[in-house]
């Protein structure tokens, strides 16, 4: 189990490095002064912020060095593992880890549904090319705010829009037509949104 967990976490680290390193290395990274490295405590707090409190409380925390080597800062007690990669925070369940692992190996993901929290949003991704690392003229780059992802082939049966240009404020399928299609489900704070909606109606 431990070995499996480590393998999966490494896979996730690779996913994040391939998907998001490019974004991190854009001009801004060159101009901005290098950020001081987070302490393990700061890193843990940041990683856990990707999930709701009740999930974060018992989630594991994985940290990766620049070579992608994983260090377990905290063992998971609820199946979720949280991490920060290139500024993206996420908390993924074991099925999501298996999905990301398959993605890394360019294999078909297991036919299981996985749940991943990204309540801090993401730095952007191509909505059509699973292996794109940066925005191009035709790869339908999309930046999404706080969301959850439902991954695995079964996510298709949700019947969400599969258009190339996603509206990141509404649920839709990312990477449609590939083995890695998954649902992107934007979420936001209930009370404040409810208040704003009520105010609009007045
Ligand atoms: Cu996401």
């Amino acid at each position: 189990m431990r070995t499996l967990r480590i393998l999966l976490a490494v896979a996730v680290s690779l996913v994040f490095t391939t998907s998001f390193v490019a974004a991190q290395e854009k001009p801004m990274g060159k101009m901005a002064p290098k950020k001081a490295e987070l302490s393990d405590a700061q890193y843990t707090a940041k990683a856990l912020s990707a999930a709701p409190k009740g999930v974060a409380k018992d989630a594991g925390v994985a940290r990766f060095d620049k070579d992608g080597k994983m260090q377990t800062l905290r063992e998971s007690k609820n199946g979720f593992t949280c991490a920060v990669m290139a500024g993206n925070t996420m908390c993924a369940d074991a099925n999501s880890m298996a999905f990301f692992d398959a993605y890394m190996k360019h294999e078909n993901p297991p036919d299981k549904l996985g749940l991943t929290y990204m309540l801090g949003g993401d730095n952007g991704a191509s909505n059509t090319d699973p292996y794109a690392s940066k925005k191009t003229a035709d790869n339908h780059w999309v930046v999404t705010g706080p969301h959850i992802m439902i991954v695995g082939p079964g996510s298709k049966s949700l019947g969400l829009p599969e258009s190339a240009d996603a509206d990141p404020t509404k649920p839709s399928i990312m990477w449609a037509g590939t083995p890695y299609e998954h649902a992107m489900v934007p979420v936001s704070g209930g009370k404040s949104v409810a208040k704003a909606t009520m105010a609009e109606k007045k």
Side-chain angles (χ1 to χ4, degrees), residues 16 20 24 35 46 83-90 120-123:
F16 276 84
F20 300 117
Q24 195 184 35
K35 272 189 205 158
K46 189 174 182 186
V84 185
M85 295 306 301
N88 292 285
T89 58
M90 55 103 73
D122 62 39
N123 290 339

Side-chain angles (χ1 to χ4, degrees), residues 21-111:
V21 155
Q24 195 184 35
E25 285 173 352
K26 274 181 184 164
M28 237 180 67
K30 276 177 198 156
M31 274 148 40
K34 217 179 173 190
K35 272 189 205 158
E37 207 174 289
L38 298 177
S39 70
D40 280 351
Q42 287 169 327
Y43 177 96
T44 296
K46 189 174 182 186
L48 293 177
S49 72
K53 273 189 189 143
V55 175
K57 192 165 97 34
D58 292 323
V61 176
R63 187 168 190 168
F64 307 89
D65 65 20
K66 56 183 186 303
D67 303 317
K69 236 182 104 189
M70 195 207 74
Q71 192 192 350
T72 301
L73 296 186
R74 213 168 89 157
E75 293 286 347
S76 178
K77 290 185 213 155
N78 63 2
F80 282 87
T81 302
C82 303
V84 185
M85 295 306 301
N88 292 285
T89 58
M90 55 103 73
C91 292
D93 69 2
N95 286 355
S96 298
M97 297 290 221
F99 175 89
F100 297 134
D101 185 50
Y103 162 87
M104 262 316 298
K105 296 172 178 160
H106 294 243
E107 289 173 356
N108 285 324
D111 194 7

Side-chain angles (χ1 to χ4, degrees), residues 16 20 88-90 100 116-118 121-122 144-145 147-149 174 182-185:
F16 276 84
F20 300 117
N88 292 285
T89 58
M90 55 103 73
F100 297 134
T116 300
Y117 289 98
M118 291 185 74
D122 62 39
T144 306
H147 63 281
I148 61 170
M149 299 189 291
M174 177 175 269
H182 62 278
M184 297 284 287
V185 183

